[in-house]
Amino acid sequence: MVRLRAAQRSRSRLATLGSAGALALVLGLTACNSGGGATEGTYGFPQVKQDDKATITVWVDADRTKAADAFTKANPGTPIKVVTYDGSANGSNSFRTKVQLFDRAQSGWPDVVFSSQNNDAAWASQKSNGKQAFAAVLNDGLVKKETLDQFTTGALNPCTVEGKVYCLRNDLAQAVLWYNKKLLDQFGYQVPKTWEEYQALGEKVAKDHPGYIVGTVGDAWTPEVFFWASKCQANGITGPKSVTVDTSSEQCKRAATMLDMLIKNGTTPNVSVFTPEFVQKYSGKVLLMPGPAWYAGAIFNNPESLNVPKGELGVAAPPAWGSEKAVTGNVGGGTWFVSSHSKNLKAAESFVRFVTTADDYQVNVAPGYPAYAPAAAKWVQKQETSGYYATDLQAVVTAGTSIWDGWGSGVFSQEAVWAKTITPAIADGKSLVSLLPEWETAIKNQAQVNGYTVK
């Protein structure tokens, strides 16, 4: 639900700095530790001498300052310094770029980092130019197994590399089927349970209620909503540096064929949900909208966006393809990392555990569906008792355990590839089916640039 704000707020202005020292100065950081003197610790990675009284430096984006505030309130005795940055929003890669500078300087690393991206574990878990990996291993004793086990099944997949967990998920961003119950009832339509029914409804809407829409393809996460849910083999990360890409599969073609039909008839426009054009043109006109859980607050229950009235917004489980078991995609969610360089791992672990599991933040403050299952159950109950929704939210819960595991989290950004290669081509009138080979080539090229072996 917070992706809109993350995308529109602070952008890194540090790209022109020429050294890690200048970067640290601008961020107001001091070297929280040094690369020297590290020895293999009890948690499965080299550690510097620990100091339980040392101040921890925490990087957050603008929205996660509330998480830091909640931790500080609950833990007044823990010394903490909070620094805001762009959270690597929109694939800016600022997190990785800054860590590389600190690696060269061998100082300045923060103790905890929030990233809006789910692919940072792919690089943060690996050594860089012979330097130890930035991310601390969490499942070798630093975070208790009982805590890790209570995250929603599959939630920590983006954080897991070769069996090691390197981050904790903040929230899930599972794609569901949002719909306007009032309009569907008014028009006599049923909520589609399959993508075939979804397409048929889109064709009927184009004929009988022109101007109304059933989705959009104007955002960079379009493949994560439609192609991921179709089990398209566009992003099969099979190892730290290996990926399988095949957009010629039937699973990719069926999603592309469906979207081509709905783009052509105007019910799935190539317009971003975060543009004035979308709000002006489609307020009160959205019948259906496949999209992540955070759409509820980002576009529907948002006075600056669609501002859907209370009692109209419903949610259904992700559609299935034919008789197949329904799966879904994931659009963001965010991750918390502990630095392997931290000299106060105790406090750093306490922070990431609090902000991902504690009711004080995840239930009472956080707008997104928590990745931590006990908090998620309470969060859903709180949302349902608000009286805003036209249905219960159990479809969101179902979708949280239905994310297909065949779409990985590599270093490179699938969203960036789509935005550069496909979005402009759709605007030029090209069909998605015809663009599948071009999309595959672009993915493979980007993967190879990042050192992947591509199959």
Side-chain angles (χ1 to χ4, degrees):
M1 296 183 186
V2 298
R3 192 182 191 95
L4 169 61
R5 304 183 192 98
Q8 291 182 332
R9 289 182 182 172
S10 55
R11 291 290 186 268
S12 173
R13 300 177 179 175
L14 308 174
T16 58
L17 295 178
S19 70
L23 176 60
L25 179 63
V26 171
L27 287 175
L29 300 174
T30 56
C32 62
N33 46 56
S34 68
T39 58
E40 191 70 26
T42 57
Y43 302 130
F45 58 90
Q47 299 162 29
V48 297
K49 184 178 179 180
Q50 294 295 292
D51 178 3
D52 289 352
K53 294 182 174 57
T55 298
I56 58 170
T57 297
V58 177
W59 284 7
V60 295
D61 67 352
D63 288 290
R64 251 54 57 169
T65 57
K66 294 179 181 179
D69 291 343
F71 175 83
T72 301
K73 182 178 180 180
N75 300 272
T78 301
I80 178 174
K81 180 177 183 178
V82 179
V83 176
T84 57
Y85 84 120
D86 74 343
S88 283
N90 288 344
S92 72
N93 213 28
S94 56
F95 174 22
R96 186 183 188 187
T97 300
K98 293 166 187 176
V99 167
Q100 289 172 333
L101 292 174
F102 294 140
D103 282 346
R104 288 199 288 271
Q106 282 295 282
S107 65
W109 302 279
D111 299 86
V112 174
V113 176
F114 171 81
S115 173
S116 62
Q117 307 299 303
N118 288 337
N119 58 0
D120 284 317
W123 65 263
S125 63
Q126 306 299 304
K127 290 183 177 180
S128 177
N129 296 320
K131 308 294 175 57
Q132 76 181 63
F134 171 80
V137 178
L138 304 181
N139 64 332
D140 278 353
L142 185 56
V143 177
K144 291 182 179 179
K145 184 177 184 297
E146 62 190 65
T147 299
L148 298 173
D149 287 347
Q150 292 189 79
F151 279 80
T152 297
T153 301
L156 297 181
N157 285 354
C159 293
T160 305
V161 179
E162 297 185 311
K164 301 289 185 180
V165 178
Y166 291 92
C167 60
L168 297 183
R169 291 287 295 282
N170 183 73
D171 60 294
L172 297 183
Q174 63 272 47
V176 293
L177 184 60
W178 295 106
Y179 65 93
N180 189 300
K181 186 175 186 303
K182 178 182 177 181
L183 288 175
L184 286 184
D185 290 347
Q186 178 183 330
F187 296 158
Y189 294 147
Q190 299 295 315
V191 178
K193 295 182 179 180
T194 68
W195 287 109
E196 289 85 355
E197 291 177 358
Y198 171 81
Q199 178 179 335
L201 180 56
E203 293 178 49
K204 187 170 180 59
V205 169
K207 178 181 177 181
D208 296 341
H209 297 93
Y212 287 83
I213 64 172
V214 299
T216 65
V217 292
D219 292 288
W221 49 88
T222 292
E224 295 165 354
V225 173
F226 293 102
F227 288 86
W228 192 336
S230 187
K231 296 184 180 180
C232 173
Q233 296 84 14
N235 197 38
I237 305 296
T238 56
K241 285 295 181 181
S242 58
V243 61
T244 299
V245 183
D246 178 16
T247 64
S248 66
S249 68
E250 178 56 34
Q251 290 85 352
C252 299
K253 289 180 179 178
R254 66 189 181 186
T257 300
M258 176 188 72
L259 289 174
D260 279 340
M261 175 67 72
L262 300 179
I263 293 169
K264 185 177 180 179
N265 70 20
T267 60
T268 306
N270 185 29
V271 180
S272 169
V273 297
F274 295 137
T275 60
E277 177 188 357
F278 175 79
V279 176
Q280 293 166 7
K281 195 170 183 178
Y282 299 112
S283 289
K285 299 285 188 178
V286 177
L287 286 178
L288 302 167
M289 180 67 75
W294 48 263
Y295 268 12
I299 65 172
F300 292 115
N301 189 17
N302 182 355
E304 297 179 2
S305 186
L306 295 179
N307 199 26
V308 175
K310 181 179 180 179
E312 294 187 11
L313 183 65
V315 60
W321 277 98
S323 60
E324 296 177 16
K325 182 179 179 180
V327 297
T328 194
N330 182 86
V331 186
T335 46
W336 292 95
F337 290 85
V338 172
S339 170
S340 67
H341 304 284
S342 176
K343 66 179 180 182
N344 193 348
L345 289 168
K346 180 180 178 181
E349 185 277 336
S350 177
F351 182 92
V352 297
R353 176 166 41 85
F354 176 91
V355 296
T356 55
T357 69
D359 291 355
D360 286 353
Y361 175 62
Q362 286 288 356
V363 178
N364 299 336
V365 179
Y369 181 85
Y372 187 67
K378 296 176 184 177
W379 183 90
V380 166
Q381 183 179 22
K382 178 183 177 182
Q383 298 298 315
E384 289 179 341
T385 56
S386 71
Y388 174 74
Y389 298 93
T391 64
D392 62 42
L393 298 183
Q394 291 311 298
V396 178
V397 179
T398 299
T401 57
S402 302
I403 299 170
W404 182 52
D405 62 6
W407 190 285
S409 299
V411 170
F412 56 95
S413 170
Q414 280 285 349
E415 293 181 8
V417 172
W418 182 272
K420 181 179 179 180
T421 308
I422 306 301
T423 300
I426 296 175
D428 288 340
K430 295 181 180 178
S431 75
L432 280 172
V433 171
S434 70
L435 289 168
L436 289 176
E438 186 175 342
W439 184 32
E440 177 174 322
T441 298
I443 296 170
K444 288 181 175 180
N445 288 344
Q446 191 60 48
Q448 290 170 342
V449 167
N450 283 275
Y452 278 77
T453 299
V454 180
K455 297 181 181 180

